[in-house]
């Protein structure tokens, strides 16, 4: 059985889990034994249907359904596409025959990785697989929100300040200075501190009064406090507190204490305030009286009018009149349908559209684009100028050639951070001094014209010889990065002697002629040798953000000191350069014209550091820009996976110690010549792979370092760049040849003298490879006097003693030459562990007999590989590990050890914040390969099995926790492997039950069982790990719906949810809803729920026969599933599971209720905006699927509407006939009617007639009613213990919960078809039907419009409470209504907070208030229209039935 072992105990455990009957089982995790107790209370488990079987049986019904798109998964839902690798370059950076030339497995895999296009598994409807925020539609928020006009806003003045709506213009009753008491409750009454404020008493447009306080008379500033006098019930003097003080007593037993400055002012204030209080009291009494009278009159008149109209219409013999009545109703319905909005468009979540929790799009690997800038080299001039050669008529130029090299130095990190950029700015007349006017020999000795011009990557070599523009890149910019220019000239002698004419130039003309004559002789004889001359530097960046210092200039030219040539010396000089007072360097007058600028967006004709042209590139272009290679700091955060081919080696000779050698008589002016060779035989020659300098060949066979005159211990700073071959072997090496250069200038210049310019004075070499890896550390090499064949065999002391090679060492083979090298390669690694692992894999592939345990040893060593190497070669290493996982060996421990290495890599990437590279690898680079062995398992099979083994082992807790925490990676790999297997093996066309073997189903089931205890038991011990694996598992199962047997996936989901209990701690309840939310976000969630009619079982049909016979005259569908029954949950598994869990959660505390409600609401928002299901019939079918949600609300109606709001039906038995209910429902006498309210634009319906109140403070509910919940009345937002205690089944719902639930209810009522709605009404009991209508009434109440002024007040109160801006919340608006009305108004104000979409800041503008008012107004309008549609349809249906019933009874009575 091997990896597929699946024991019977697991099967039994699953059955016990799902049935909830298992007593307990013991889970061993290390030395700890945890009891997995399953005897706690469980949610009733409903077995899901066999989805594939149902689909097959009902195939005809599904295909004949006009809405079959809601029942079927679309064809070609999944596919594989090959995406061309996006390159910056015109052509691939990989050489054409690279893969054939490569012999190393690692190099082959690297080349294959950089050459292969991306392989992506496409899910056609993936855009619909997230929540509503990820939908592809762009119309979640309407472009233009309709502006509705409400009475409450009509009277507001146009110039009113909408941020507070408390303007005093034209309405100031009284103003003056008063002293206001500090309302800090910790200070006693007699100790209250008074502050002097300027008060305005103002009458608002609606007739109410407000008292505002300011720091001074300028009321344009922010108010320091406001007192709404609607809530003031009395004003009395209080002389004991302060002279001339008085107290304003408020409704909520709160008082404001004020004091005037004189007794007369106090009296005037008291008189004015008492008059206002009296006005308010009289208004209240009159309002209450009018409300009662109007309600009675309206009830009587509307009853009579309705009866008269109905009777006259029914008695009428004119069909046209009856037709007119029906047409009028139909026209009204059509009118209400014009310009309707999606209610969810105005929801606060949709308006905010917070994308913080959504993962960004996964992008393929790409070259890292660091901070880049362009360097343009224009001119270099010194103060010794003259006419050179044939340039007699042109401007004066330098009289000898100079050569520039630019590089970046980082003082902060004390290193060089770029390669050298060599520039030749010499005019043609000066260049001719080196080679003569007729020919220009290349640096390797081949004259121009001797052979056809070579082409490099499609570019003529001549176009690459004089590049003057370079692009530098910096990963970590900061102000201490300098661009250093080194100036060299042809070797002539001592630096001081050569610089003297440029420093002391008394007679410019004579000096120029003298220097020119000397330079001409030197160039003709020593033209290929260089000597250091001067250097200059300039800063690049202003700050760490990479702002370029565009105004910066180069420093003066400093004479180069022959004893301070190295890069370390330059770094020290740059540090001193920043402190001018310490700088004592000799200046050479001159000017270097080099500009630094940002890289243009439309830059063209640029080439890489390997001379590969970048897009766009024009043919035959001569003005070329080259990218200069950056030496990125060896820090993980700067690493990125390699995507292009690059294979450069930089060699640096540092120092030669020749002061004690006795082998050579003359060895002073020492030149170092470097060559790259692949043989040490006598007939071996150098390879043409060294990058040349300007004016010479692009690639050459040798390179020379600068020469220090008369120095036996010379230092060097030269950088030699080598293009390494694809295949390296043990014979590849760098050969150093040392020459003594004769600087003597003979005026006669005989041929003999010319031939003795250089004399060999030694040889040194270093092989590139050691143990198969490239060596790049600093080395000390011995020097030999001769170069016999086979010299590479003399690399160490042991081989030198045993060798028979005739060689003569300089100074006793002491290490005289110091060198270092730097590798910039994307095909070679210097990591020992990675190299050995790939080398061993190559041996195994080549047929080498493997030693048992050898591969495991190398796998374990990979845990020690460098993190930088891991990131740089991430795709290469991961792909090789997956090959080993399935191919390499039959040893049982290999897959587990291989998975442990994968886990190590994944965890390291997360720890470094580079997990995005893992996601890019899975989506674009990972391509499962078919195992070479015939019986080998596929990646998804092996990986799932090894995950089970790791989760079940008892010793390694760290590995278990890591696997849980980063399980997403392994699940994603499994998914892509499964998808690739189905598509490439053409298994996708098979029935889903046959796509994967039964053994693999067992493996997935075992994996689920292995995960459950780590979530449900260890959640407190490993919170992050358990949450991550919970989400990862949900995402995996969601994707499995697309790939495999959907009924099997239903069972996995059922098993997982069975592991939770209603009495679980809060965190587990959150896990459960996060899991369900992820599952329900599947792109084909609707087809998964099969929104179709299911015939009832035979027994149920017999039981329903009588009720069906009773309702035979109606359009009742006996198969309508409207309750959360077992059959419903089985037929519509996912939505049934979600609604059941939501039903339980509503009896829980606030956090759990909030989570459950949010999941339901977000899911319905997604349905409402899903562009695939926008037809009204499709939306109706989706709404019908959620019909049991209405029953869920009816069960909680007391928590939504308040117990006192419910219609009292004690006298009406449940067995009462529907006709009796319809006749009796129209005139409830024991229930207060809702009335129109100017403040709320609230329309109530009583027998179809609206009631309009002229006053702005009409009663919304009967006086004394206190059934509406108060948001702040419970303290259930804080949990006292980790396990939820037994709580009341009817906790109060806060406003967010109520509004969210009602919005879902309104969506269902609005979208569901009229036939289904009527059927539903006929199936529910009379009491439930009453409650359904009450829910509509509650909707009107909670979504009523309160006006811009109240919206502004709510925002001010919110600011005060959350940001502590004064204590304005103590003076929130309280209207003149008492007790219940006050409570209802405050409750609604708090409900507005939950729907507020403003930016909560102290700078809320008038536009913000206006926008919020638009949202509130449109919400109220849409809610009212939806309710009106429903009530209209209800009355239309039941009025006809009521009349028919009454007419039948009358005829029976007469008979």
């Amino acid at each position: 059985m091997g990896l597929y072992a699946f024991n019977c105990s697991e099967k039994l455990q699953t059955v016990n889990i799902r049935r909830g009957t298992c007593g307990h089982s013991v889970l061993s995790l290390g030395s700890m034994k945890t009891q997995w107790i399953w005897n706690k209370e469980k949610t009733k488990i409903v077995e899901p249907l066999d989805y594939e079987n149902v689909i097959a049986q009902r195939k005809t019904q599904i295909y004949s359904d006009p809405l079959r798109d809601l029942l079927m998964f679309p064809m070609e839902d999944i596919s594989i596409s090959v995406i061309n690798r996006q390159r910056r370059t015109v052509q691939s950076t990989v050489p054409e025959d690279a893969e054939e030339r490569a012999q190393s497995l690692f190099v082959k895999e690297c080349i294959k990785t950089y050459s292969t296009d991306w392989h992506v598994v496409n899910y056609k409807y993936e855009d619909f697989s997230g929540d509503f925020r990820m939908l592809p539609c762009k119309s979640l928020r309407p472009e233009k929100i309709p502006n509705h006009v409400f009475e409450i806003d009509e009277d507001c003045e146009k110039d009113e300040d909408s941020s507070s709506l408390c303007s005093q213009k034209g309405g100031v009753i009284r103003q003056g200075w008063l002293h206001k008491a500090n309302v800090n409750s910790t200070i006693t009454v007699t100790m209250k501190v008074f502050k002097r404020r300027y008060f305005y008493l103002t009458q608002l447009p609606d007739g109410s009064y407000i008292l505002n306080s300011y720091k001074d008379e300028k009321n344009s500033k922010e108010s320091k406090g406001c007192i709404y006098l609607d809530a003031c019930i009395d004003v009395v003097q209080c002389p004991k507190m302060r002279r001339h003080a008085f107290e304003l007593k408020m409704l909520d037993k709160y008082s404001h204490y004020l004091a005037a400055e004189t007794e007369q002012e106090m009296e005037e204030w008291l008189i004015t305030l008492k008059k206002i209080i009296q006005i308010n009291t009289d208004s209240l009494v009159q309002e209450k009286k009018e409300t009662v009278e109007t309600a009675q009159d309206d009830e009587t008149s509307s009853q009579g009018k309705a009866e008269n109209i109905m009777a006259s219409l029914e008695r009428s013999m004119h069909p046209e009149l009856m037709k007119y009545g029906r047409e009028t109703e139909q026209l009204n319905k059509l009118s209400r349908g014009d310009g309707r909005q999606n209610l969810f468009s105005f929801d606060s979540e949709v308006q905010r559209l917070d994308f913080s929790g959504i993962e960004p799009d996964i992008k393929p690997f790409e070259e890292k684009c660091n901070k880049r800038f362009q360097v343009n080299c224009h001119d270099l001039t010194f103060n010794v100028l003259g006419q050179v050669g044939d340039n007699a008529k042109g401007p004066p130029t330098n009289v000898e050639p100079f050569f520039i090299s630019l590089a970046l130095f980082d003082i902060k990190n004390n290193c060089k951070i770029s390669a050298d950029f060599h520039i030749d700015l010499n005019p043609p007349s000066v260049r001719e001094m080196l080679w003569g006017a007729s020919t220009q020999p290349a640096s390797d000795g081949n004259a121009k014209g001797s052979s056809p011009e070579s082409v490099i990557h499609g570019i003529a070599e001549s176009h690459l010889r004089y590049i003057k523009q370079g692009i530098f890149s910096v990963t970590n910019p900061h102000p201490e990065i300098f661009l250093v220019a080194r100036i060299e000239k042809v070797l002539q002698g001592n630096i001081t002697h050569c610089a003297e004419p440029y420093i002391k130039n008394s007679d410019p003309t004579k000096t120029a002629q003298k220097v020119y004559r000397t330079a001409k002789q030197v160039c003709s004889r020593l033209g290929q040798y260089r000597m250091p001359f001067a250097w200059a530097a300039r800063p690049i960046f202003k700050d760490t953000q990479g702002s370029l210092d565009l105004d910066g200039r180069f420093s003066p030219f400093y004479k180069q000191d022959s004893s301070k040539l190295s890069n370390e010396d330059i770094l020290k000089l740059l540090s001193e350069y920043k402190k001018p007072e310490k700088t004592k360097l000799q200046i050479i007058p001159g000017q270097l014209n080099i500009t630094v600028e940002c890289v243009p967006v439309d830059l063209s004709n640029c080439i890489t550091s390997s001379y590969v042209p970048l897009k766009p590139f024009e043919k035959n272009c001569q003005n070329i820009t080259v990218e200069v290679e950056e030496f990125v700091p060896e820090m993980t955060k700067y690493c990125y996976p390699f995507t292009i081919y690059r294979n450069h080696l930089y060699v640096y000779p540092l120092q030669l110690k020749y002061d004690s050698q006795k082998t050579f008589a003359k060895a002073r002016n020492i030149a170092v010549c470097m060559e790259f060779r692949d043989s040490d035989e006598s007939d071996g020659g150098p390879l043409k792979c060294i990058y040349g300098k300007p004016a010479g060949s692009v690639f050459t066979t040798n390179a020379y370092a600068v020469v220090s005159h008369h120095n036996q211990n010379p230092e060097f700073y030269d950088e030699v760049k080598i293009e390494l071959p694809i295949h390296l072997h043990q014979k590849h090496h760098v050969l150093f040849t040392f020459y003594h250069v004769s600087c003597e200038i003979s005026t006669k210049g005989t041929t003999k003298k010319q031939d003795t310019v250089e004399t060999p004075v030694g040889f040194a070499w270093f092989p590139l490879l050691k143990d198969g890896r490239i060596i790049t550390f600093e080395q000390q090499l011995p020097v030999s006097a001769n170069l016999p064949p086979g010299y590479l065999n003399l690399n160490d002391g042991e081989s030198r003693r045993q060798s028979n090679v005739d060689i003569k060492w300089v100074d006793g083979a002491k290490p005289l030459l110091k060198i270092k090298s730097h590798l910039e390669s994307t095909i070679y690694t210097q990591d020992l562990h990675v190299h050995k692992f790939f080398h061993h894999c190559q041996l195994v592939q080549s047929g080498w007999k493997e030693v048992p345990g050898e591969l495991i040893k190398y796998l374990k060593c990979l845990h020690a590989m460098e993190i930088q190497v891991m990131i740089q070669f991430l795709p290469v290493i991961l792909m090789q590990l997956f090959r080993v996982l399935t191919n390499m060996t039959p040893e049982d421990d290999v897959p587990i050890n291989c998975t442990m290495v994968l886990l190590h890599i994944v965890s390291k990437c997360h720890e470094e914040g580079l997990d995005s590279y893992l996601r890019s690898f899975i989506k674009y680079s990972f391509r499962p390969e078919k195992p070479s062995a015939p019986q080998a398992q596929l990646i998804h099979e092996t990986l799932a099995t090894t995950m089970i083994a790791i989760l079940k082992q008892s010793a390694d807790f760290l590995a278990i926790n890591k696997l849980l925490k980063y399980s997403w990676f392994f699940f994603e790999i499994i998914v892509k492997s499964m998808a690739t297997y189905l598509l490439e093996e053409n298994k996708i066309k098979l029935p889903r039950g046959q796509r994967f073997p039964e053994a693999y189903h067992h493996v997935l089931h075992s994996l689920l069982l292995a995960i459950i205890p780590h979530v449900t038991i260890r959640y407190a011990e490993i919170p992050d790990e358990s949450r991550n694996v919970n989400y990862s598992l949900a995402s995996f199962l969601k994707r499995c719906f697309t790939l495999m047997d959907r009924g099997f996936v239903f069972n996995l989901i059922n098993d997982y949810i069975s592991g939770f209990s209603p009495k679980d701690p809060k965190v587990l309840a959150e896990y459960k809803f996060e899991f369900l939310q992820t599952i329900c976000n599947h792109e084909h969630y609707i087809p998964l729920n099969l929104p179709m009619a299911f015939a009832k079982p035979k027994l149920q049909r017999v039981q329903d026969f009588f009720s069906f016979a009773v309702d035979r005259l109606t359009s009742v569908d006996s198969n309508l599933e409207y309750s959360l029954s077992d059959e419903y949950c089985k037929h519509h598994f996912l939505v049934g599971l979600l609604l059941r869990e939501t039903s339980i959660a509503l009896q829980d505390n606030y956090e759990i209720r909030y989570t459950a409600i949010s999941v339901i609401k977000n899911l319905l928002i997604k349905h409402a905006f899903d562009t695939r299901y926008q037809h009204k019939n499709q939306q109706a079918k989706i709404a019908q699927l959620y019909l049991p949600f209405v029953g869920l609300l009816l069960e909680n109606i007391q928590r939504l509407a308040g117990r006192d709001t419910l219609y009292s039906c004690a006298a009406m038995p449940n067995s009462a006939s529907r006709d009796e209910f319809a006749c009796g429902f129209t005139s409830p006498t024991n229930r207060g009617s809702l009335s129109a309210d100017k403040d709320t634009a609230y329309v109530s319906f009583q027998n179809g007639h609206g009631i309009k109140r002229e006053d702005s403070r009409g009663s919304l509910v009967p006086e004394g009613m206190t059934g509406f919940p108060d948001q702040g009345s419970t303290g259930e937002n804080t949990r006292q213990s980790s396990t939820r205690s037994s709580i009341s089944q009817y906790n109060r719902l806060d406003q967010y919960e109520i509004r969210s639930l009602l919005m879902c209810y309104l969506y269902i009522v609005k979208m569901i078809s009229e036939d289904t709605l009527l059927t539903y009404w006929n199936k529910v009991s009379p009491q439930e039907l009453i409650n359904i209508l009450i829910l509509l009434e509650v909707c009107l109440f909670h979504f009523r419009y309160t006006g811009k002024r109240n919206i502004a007040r709510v925002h001010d109160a919110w600011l005060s409470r959350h940001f502590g801006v004064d204590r304005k919340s103590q003076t929130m608006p309280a209207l003149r209504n008492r007790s219940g009305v006050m409570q209802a108004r405050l409750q609604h104000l708090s409900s507005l907070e939950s729907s507020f979409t403003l930016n909560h800041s102290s700078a809320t503008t008038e536009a913000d208030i206006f926008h919020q008012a638009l949202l509130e107004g449109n919400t109220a309008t849409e809610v009212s229209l939806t309710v009106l549609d429903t009530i209209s349809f209800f009355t239309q249906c039941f009025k006809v039935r009521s009349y028919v019933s009454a007419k039948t009874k009358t005829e029976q009575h007469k008979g």
Side-chain angles (χ1 to χ4, degrees), residues 577-594:
Y577 162 78
K578 294 178 62 180
K579 304 171 184 177
E581 66 278 1
K582 293 186 178 181
T583 303
K584 296 180 180 179
L585 301 173
Q586 192 168 12
I587 296 175
I588 300 177
Q591 183 179 3
L592 178 60
N593 185 7
I594 292 180

Side-chain angles (χ1 to χ4, degrees), residues 127 218 242 260 358 381 543 986 1053 1131 1152 1212 1255 1434:
D127 290 343
K218 299 177 181 178
R242 182 188 174 101
I358 295 180
T381 56
D543 49 42
N986 208 23
I1053 294 170
H1131 296 155
I1152 306 305
M1212 182 178 290
D1255 189 72
F1434 179 85

Side-chain angles (χ1 to χ4, degrees), residues 95 104 152 225 243 257 271 375 401 421 432 541 667 707 831 930 975 984 1082 1146 1261 1298 1326 1353 1361 1382 1411 1414:
S104 163
I152 191 172
R243 291 184 64 187
Y257 298 95
I271 293 171
V375 173
F421 176 36
E432 291 174 1
F541 299 110
V707 179
D831 187 274
K930 191 174 181 180
V975 165
E984 293 187 348
H1082 191 276
L1146 286 179
V1261 289
I1298 294 175
R1353 288 181 183 179
R1361 183 161 64 255
M1382 173 86 67
H1411 178 71
L1414 274 181

